[in-house]
Amino acid sequence: MNIIKIKDRSELEKKLPSMPWYVEKFINYKLPDLSPSSLLEYVRDYDTFFSWLLAEGLSSAATVKDVPLVDLERLHMDSIDNFKMFLATRKENSNGKTTIARKLSSLRSLFHYLSQIAEDENFYPLLKRNVMAKVEIKRTHKPKDTAAKLEGKLLQESEIAEFIEYVQTGYPVDVAKNKQALYSYELNKVRDVCIISLILNSGLRVSEVFNLNVEDIDLKKKLTYVYRKGKNDDTFKTPVYFRQEAVDCLAAYLEQRQSRYKAPKREKALFLAVANGKKEGERMTKRAIQEMVIKYAKRFGKPYLSVHKLRHSFATDYYLRNDLYKTQEQLGHASPETTQIYAHLTDKTMAEAIDKPSE
């Protein structure tokens, strides 16, 4: 099981006892199909909802764990509307449309299970009335809308190579007068170039990069093996190809990984960092990977770049050379609808290219 799933499963096991018995029953029902990370998000959403019920006096229970099913049956549509308003306007951790839709979808899944699938000892549904069946959850991001938001915020074909080249040679020139920045750069240059090149030549997610182990890389076949998002099979890693352009960067990093980061033999992580005050390298965190990309992106003149936008940049370029279904498989999308983002993005790219003057 990958590092994130182990952590989330542990957190899930800690949180479940504080939930009503029927939530635990639902989570156990879903356990074979969903990852611990997804189930943990469900439980967090339910904790928010039940805590709100108690605060609003919509349940007479003393704690979240004690909220009875009958309190769910008594809910009106007004209650759900008020909950949506609460999510959107609360002072701390207010939510956007996408997050609100996801939280409502979590609730709908629970209510559906209780009213349509789970039964009591007399074979009657556990929940007699399902208010969430009336709630329409609109898709908040259509591929075309997502594409519109990404326009102008991705690396175009030539810029992919330019950005990698900038990290290799341009950044140290820009920070030449900053001794601390230059020292840190020289220490991690090969690793940083490797990470950025790998993402821009494969489209890996930050979680997939974070979870990579040394044994997951096959330079000869130009393959890396990753735990794909949404797949709950912890025994199988999905093979993902990377382009030839990433091979030299990976080879250079692997050659110096041990000598530079002095990781103990038990440390299998591919990408390492040495934390302040420590002598041995350990798995580089997701946050550190994100911050590293942003650091270079700002100096490159594209401060809006992130790991996910590097993934989008690769995907747009890949889609131009392949088709929808190959792109879907390369990126690990569950649905081709998600991959349609790149069809909309490349429509604009092709429109610009036709009028581009010849060099």
Side-chain angles (χ1 to χ4, degrees), residues 164 167-168 171 181 183-199 209 212 246 248-258 260-262 269-276 280-293 295-296 310:
I164 296 170
V167 179
Q168 285 178 316
Y171 180 82
Y183 173 77
S184 176
Y185 167 77
E186 291 296 343
L187 198 65
N188 298 303
K189 168 186 173 181
V190 176
R191 180 201 68 189
D192 294 355
V193 170
C194 182
I195 292 172
I196 289 171
S197 177
L198 180 60
I199 296 167
V209 174
L212 283 176
D248 289 344
C249 297
L250 278 161
Y253 171 70
L254 286 168
E255 191 175 329
Q256 67 153 227
R257 174 185 173 275
Q258 185 57 42
R260 178 58 54 93
Y261 295 97
K262 298 178 174 56
L270 175 61
F271 294 116
L272 303 171
V274 180
N276 288 334
E280 293 183 336
E282 54 191 17
R283 188 179 297 270
M284 193 176 180
T285 66
K286 283 200 295 181
R287 184 172 180 177
I289 295 169
Q290 292 278 24
E291 288 176 348
M292 179 268 290
V293 169
K295 175 183 75 175
Y296 292 119
L310 295 188

Side-chain angles (χ1 to χ4, degrees), residues 7 10 18 39 45 68 70 82 93 106 108 115 144 168 214 242 263 282 288 293 295 301 310 321 335 338 355:
K7 180 173 175 291
S10 174
S18 66
L39 294 172
D45 292 343
V70 68
N82 290 337
N93 301 321
S106 296
R108 194 160 68 175
S115 63
K144 194 171 184 179
Q168 285 178 316
V214 174
F242 50 83
E282 54 191 17
V293 169
K295 175 183 75 175
L310 295 188
R321 307 180 195 202
S335 165
T338 308
D355 289 322

Side-chain angles (χ1 to χ4, degrees), residues 26-179:
F26 169 69
I27 295 298
N28 287 333
Y29 170 74
K30 283 289 188 181
L31 202 55
D33 302 316
L34 295 178
S35 71
S37 305
S38 298
L39 294 172
L40 180 60
E41 283 302 313
Y42 273 0
V43 170
R44 286 171 176 160
D45 292 343
Y46 301 150
D47 187 49
T48 300
F49 177 68
F50 288 125
S51 297
W52 176 82
L53 283 183
L54 297 179
E56 291 294 306
L58 294 171
S59 174
S60 57
T63 66
V64 164
K65 184 178 177 65
D66 300 321
V67 174
L69 280 164
V70 68
D71 286 348
L72 303 186
E73 291 174 343
R74 290 173 180 158
L75 290 172
H76 295 275
M77 276 299 295
D78 284 349
S79 302
I80 304 303
D81 289 338
N82 290 337
F83 179 59
K84 286 163 66 176
M85 185 66 69
F86 160 74
L87 292 175
T89 59
R90 57 181 174 170
K91 291 180 180 179
E92 292 183 10
N93 301 321
S94 62
N95 302 119
K97 290 181 180 179
T98 304
T99 306
I100 291 171
R102 182 183 59 72
K103 289 180 183 295
L104 291 176
S105 181
S106 296
L107 278 179
R108 194 160 68 175
S109 294
L110 173 64
F111 279 57
H112 174 80
Y113 166 77
L114 295 173
S115 63
Q116 300 294 321
I117 298 170
E119 300 172 334
D120 63 17
E121 63 275 10
N122 296 315
F123 308 107
Y124 288 109
L126 289 181
L127 194 70
K128 309 299 187 291
R129 178 179 167 275
N130 178 6
V131 68
M132 289 303 298
K134 301 177 182 179
V135 178
E136 182 183 358
I137 302 174
K138 295 179 181 177
R139 183 179 172 88
T140 53
H141 284 302
K142 295 179 181 177
K144 194 171 184 179
D145 298 333
T146 304
K149 288 184 179 180
L150 290 172
E151 277 182 14
K153 294 182 179 179
L154 304 181
L155 296 171
Q156 301 304 316
E157 184 181 6
S158 62
E159 291 175 324
I160 289 175
E162 286 171 16
F163 184 49
I164 296 170
E165 177 64 26
Y166 174 78
V167 179
Q168 285 178 316
T169 61
Y171 180 82
V173 175
D174 285 349
V175 298
K177 295 180 180 179
N178 186 331
K179 289 185 179 180

